[in-house]
Amino acid sequence: MTDQRWVGVRQRVEAAGAGPGSSKVFGAPGHKWVVEEPLTRGELAELEAQTGVRLPEDYRSFLLHVGAGGAGPAYGLFPVRRVQGRWRWEGDGADLADLSRLAEPFPDQGPDPQRLTELLAQRPQEEDFDAIEDFDDAIEAWDERWEAVMFAPERTAGAIVICHLGCAQREWLIISGSHRGTIWSDCRVDDVDLVPLLNEDGTPVRFDRWYTDWLKTAECTALSAP
């Protein structure tokens, strides 16, 4: 039975892609308004068996009734595909997700605040070095320590990357744990920690709202006269 929340969504995306202002929608050159074919129930079952976890209901329903990926927020919804007999998500940074850990709960807490404070206090300052080469070496070593904390693999267990916004900024869909089904922003490249996207009322944004809000906004631009 078709999930009512997705009725007509694929057709709306196709209509927006044919609209006079479609090229003005942010990220459109990336996804080109293409929506991949939906997964069959057998393919979805195979994907979930491989990852060892049932995907959030609204997302799995999207995969069945709209498409396996393609046109969507930012540069597009990362498609899930079978490659050499194994399922995986594909896109810029999709490999940051450890597919062998999707059944593990996404952690509730970020890095130890005290450890972050100490690391920030240790960040080299250019004025403390006589030679720019010495400063460059010191900041490179510090960056490695910082990234080891911020990008520790266990911090994104139970989650997949589903789109990128450019400049190494991405968004994640939480698959397991207390935050299951919510979307998180990842701007760690700019030293901003992982945070959940929030609705106007402060509740976490879930996949269906994330996608349909994008579509409504995209339609306003795409279907407007040039």
Side-chain angles (χ1 to χ4, degrees), residues 30-114:
H31 57 68
K32 298 181 174 60
W33 295 101
V34 174
V35 181
E36 301 205 2
E37 288 300 309
L39 298 185
T40 66
R41 292 192 179 276
E43 289 171 332
L44 179 60
E46 186 179 288
L47 166 63
E48 293 182 328
Q50 177 192 307
T51 56
V53 65
R54 183 181 176 88
L55 299 172
E57 297 304 321
D58 50 355
Y59 177 56
R60 71 192 309 273
S61 179
F62 180 94
L63 295 177
L64 287 171
H65 300 297
V66 182
Y75 287 97
L77 175 64
F78 285 0
V80 58
R81 296 170 176 151
R82 188 197 289 112
V83 180
Q84 296 180 342
R86 300 288 292 175
W87 288 94
R88 71 185 187 195
W89 282 264
E90 297 192 324
D92 183 357
D95 57 353
L96 290 171
D98 186 344
L99 302 189
S100 70
R101 304 182 67 171
L102 291 190
E104 295 180 29
F106 181 78
D108 290 326
Q109 302 295 327
D112 180 358
Q114 182 175 350

Side-chain angles (χ1 to χ4, degrees), residues 11 24 33 76 86 90-91 93 126 141 146 157-158 160 172-173 177 184 212:
Q11 292 75 21
K24 297 180 181 179
W33 295 101
R86 300 288 292 175
E90 297 192 324
E126 187 173 353
W146 176 261
I160 57 170
W172 294 69
L173 171 63
W184 285 55
T212 55

Side-chain angles (χ1 to χ4, degrees), residues 34 43 50 53 57 108 129 135 142 166 195 200 208 219 221:
V34 174
E43 289 171 332
Q50 177 192 307
V53 65
E57 297 304 321
D108 290 326
F129 294 83
F135 170 71
W142 181 87
V195 293
E200 295 81 359
D208 53 356
E219 286 174 321
T221 300

Side-chain angles (χ1 to χ4, degrees), residues 14 35 38 46 51 65 67 103 124-125 150 152 171 192 198 200 206-207 222:
E14 292 171 350
V35 181
E46 186 179 288
T51 56
H65 300 297
Q125 302 300 316
M150 294 295 283
E171 292 179 332
V192 177
L198 301 176
E200 295 81 359
R206 305 188 70 81
F207 177 83

Side-chain angles (χ1 to χ4, degrees), residues 73-74 78 160-165 169-173 183-186 197 210:
F78 285 0
I160 57 170
V161 186
I162 55 169
C163 79
H164 76 98
L165 292 74
Q169 297 181 2
R170 301 177 175 89
E171 292 179 332
W172 294 69
L173 171 63
I183 307 292
W184 285 55
S185 171
D186 183 357
L197 298 185
W210 175 78

